[in-house]
Amino acid sequence: MEQEEWEKTLFDDGIEKAEGDKQENGWEEEQFDEEQEEVEKVSKFSFLKELFIYIAIVALCLFVIPKYVVQRTVVDGTSMLNTLKDEDNLMVEKLSYRFRDPERFDIIVFYPYGRDDERYFVKRIIGLPGETIQIIGDRIFINGELLEENYGKDPMTNSGIASEPLQLADDEYFVLGDNREISLDSRYSEVGPVKRELIEGKVVFRIYPFNSIGTVE
């Protein structure tokens, strides 16, 4: 009889232990599932975060930087020889003109026919707002004084609308191409003085051709 009771007690202990193990295993499985779910949530959040950052970078490179900071521009023609050549690839910096005005001798990109027309010119600033410009022969006068400069490739033979003193408005710039014999610039009424709002930016760097990479003066 004692033997039977001992065996029964041993059997009951075994059942209790098994049930305890089962409960413990169930708790461990539940804990594992919760941890796994948490890991999946973190992974999903990390993926979405990386995707958002990637999209933001792409948008910045495609839209924000070219519109407000710097963009690539290609020279079309020879009106800026010998400084720039046809098909030169340039970097045009736009940010500084948001904080200061263009300066004399800057090489700029502007829209001569308005921003609704995609055609742009690359020229050098000669006259500043409020100044009086006159070209006599191949000499340029600013407010009656001879301008000292040596950017012109060849002497000018056409003074255009600047053959008589030309008063610039408070938001106008007078521009010339360095290759002045063939340049269509502010001397001609088709272009005329350039409004400040039509200036896109300043040419600062040449990236192509590779044998001419460097800053542009």
Side-chain angles (χ1 to χ4, degrees):
M1 193 64 181
E2 293 179 356
Q3 178 69 23
E4 291 178 358
E5 290 178 357
W6 178 81
E7 290 177 353
K8 184 176 182 304
T9 300
L10 185 63
F11 177 75
D12 291 341
D13 291 343
I15 291 177
E16 290 178 1
K17 183 176 185 303
E19 289 179 351
D21 291 343
K22 183 178 180 182
Q23 292 177 355
E24 184 176 353
N25 290 338
W27 177 82
E28 290 177 350
E29 290 178 2
E30 184 178 351
Q31 185 181 35
F32 175 79
D33 291 341
E34 291 177 355
E35 292 177 351
Q36 185 68 20
E37 184 178 351
E38 188 67 26
V39 169
E40 290 176 356
K41 288 181 180 178
V42 172
S43 298
K44 184 177 181 180
F45 176 77
S46 297
F47 170 76
L48 292 176
K49 181 180 178 182
E50 291 177 2
L51 180 61
F52 175 78
I53 292 174
Y54 175 77
I55 293 174
I57 292 174
V58 171
L60 186 68
C61 293
L62 292 180
F63 303 107
V64 178
I65 291 178
K67 184 174 180 60
Y68 298 106
V69 183
V70 65
Q71 74 175 50
R72 184 179 69 90
T73 295
V74 179
V75 175
D76 181 13
T78 57
S79 69
M80 282 297 291
L81 286 175
N82 290 327
T83 306
L84 301 174
K85 299 178 176 60
D86 186 33
E87 297 186 355
D88 277 0
N89 281 232
L90 311 172
M91 298 306 294
V92 179
E93 181 268 317
K94 304 178 179 183
L95 194 59
S96 64
Y97 284 172
R98 296 184 179 277
F99 302 98
R100 67 170 180 83
D101 290 327
E103 299 176 351
R104 197 184 323 275
F105 303 136
D106 283 356
I107 298 176
I108 62 169
V109 171
F110 67 97
Y111 294 95
Y113 310 116
R115 289 186 176 274
D116 293 335
D117 191 316
E118 63 182 14
R119 288 175 292 177
Y120 60 83
F121 282 7
V122 181
K123 306 294 180 184
R124 189 182 299 278
I125 291 177
I126 297 298
L128 301 176
E131 294 181 337
T132 298
I133 312 297
Q134 186 175 15
I135 299 175
I136 301 175
D138 61 351
R139 297 179 299 169
I140 303 170
F141 292 86
I142 306 291
N143 295 332
E145 296 185 5
L146 179 64
L147 176 66
E148 297 293 338
E149 59 91 32
N150 57 359
Y151 293 106
K153 175 179 178 293
D154 296 308
M156 284 181 288
T157 57
N158 191 344
S159 301
I161 62 174
S163 60
E164 298 294 332
L166 176 65
Q167 175 77 42
L168 298 176
D170 291 340
D171 63 342
E172 290 181 338
Y173 294 80
F174 191 91
V175 300
L176 294 175
D178 287 356
N179 190 5
R180 292 169 183 171
E181 280 299 280
I182 69 165
S183 176
L184 177 61
D185 47 41
S186 290
R187 291 172 293 168
Y188 303 96
S189 56
E190 181 180 343
V191 177
V194 178
K195 296 288 187 181
R196 175 72 169 83
E197 63 185 19
L198 299 181
I199 297 176
E200 184 70 2
K202 177 183 176 181
V203 175
V204 293
F205 202 83
R206 177 169 28 222
I207 59 175
Y208 183 84
F210 298 128
N211 62 356
S212 298
I213 290 177
T215 56
V216 177
E217 300 293 337

